[in-house]
Amino acid sequence: LCDLGSTWDDELKGRWFGGNHDTDHKGSLFLPAAGFGYSNDLGYCAKLAGTSLTGYYWSSSPYYGGDNGAGTLGFYSGYVNPLSYNGRALGFSVRCVRDKE
């Protein structure tokens, strides 16, 4: 997904991936900067942070083979992190995406 290029949309507060991401958005996927939830001292997902500023999405890929940590896609207005490590207790968004055939 990240290899297809992306553009931040300041009006919609999110990032367009692939397709004509920097013009008319035809064939592009939009992921909103939905922020993330994080746990309190009791382990419950109790706080929401980063809305309109950051987007964190779970990946179906582990951070690396055999690792218990989950892989994530993270982005800000000026930066995309295509695969990073995050603990599974964090509340990130999920969006099903498949390759075009």
Side-chain angles (χ1 to χ4, degrees):
L1 185 64
C2 293
D3 291 340
L4 301 175
S6 67
T7 303
W8 176 259
D9 189 318
D10 202 36
E11 184 178 326
L12 295 176
K13 303 296 184 203
R15 191 166 276 282
W16 292 96
F17 289 87
N20 299 338
H21 60 86
D22 57 350
T23 56
D24 64 2
H25 309 303
K26 184 175 181 175
S28 297
L29 169 71
F30 181 75
L31 296 178
F36 61 95
Y38 61 97
S39 60
N40 61 16
D41 292 337
L42 300 174
Y44 299 109
C45 189
K47 308 254 184 189
L48 190 61
T51 57
S52 299
L53 301 172
T54 62
Y56 288 96
Y57 288 79
W58 292 116
S59 171
S60 60
S61 302
Y63 182 59
Y64 64 88
D67 184 63
N68 288 331
T72 60
L73 163 70
F75 61 82
Y76 306 88
S77 63
Y79 179 77
V80 176
N81 189 352
L83 184 61
S84 59
Y85 173 85
N86 281 286
R88 295 178 189 270
L90 294 170
F92 292 169
S93 299
V94 175
R95 174 88 183 254
C96 294
V97 178
R98 71 177 191 130
D99 290 333
K100 289 183 179 181
E101 294 182 15

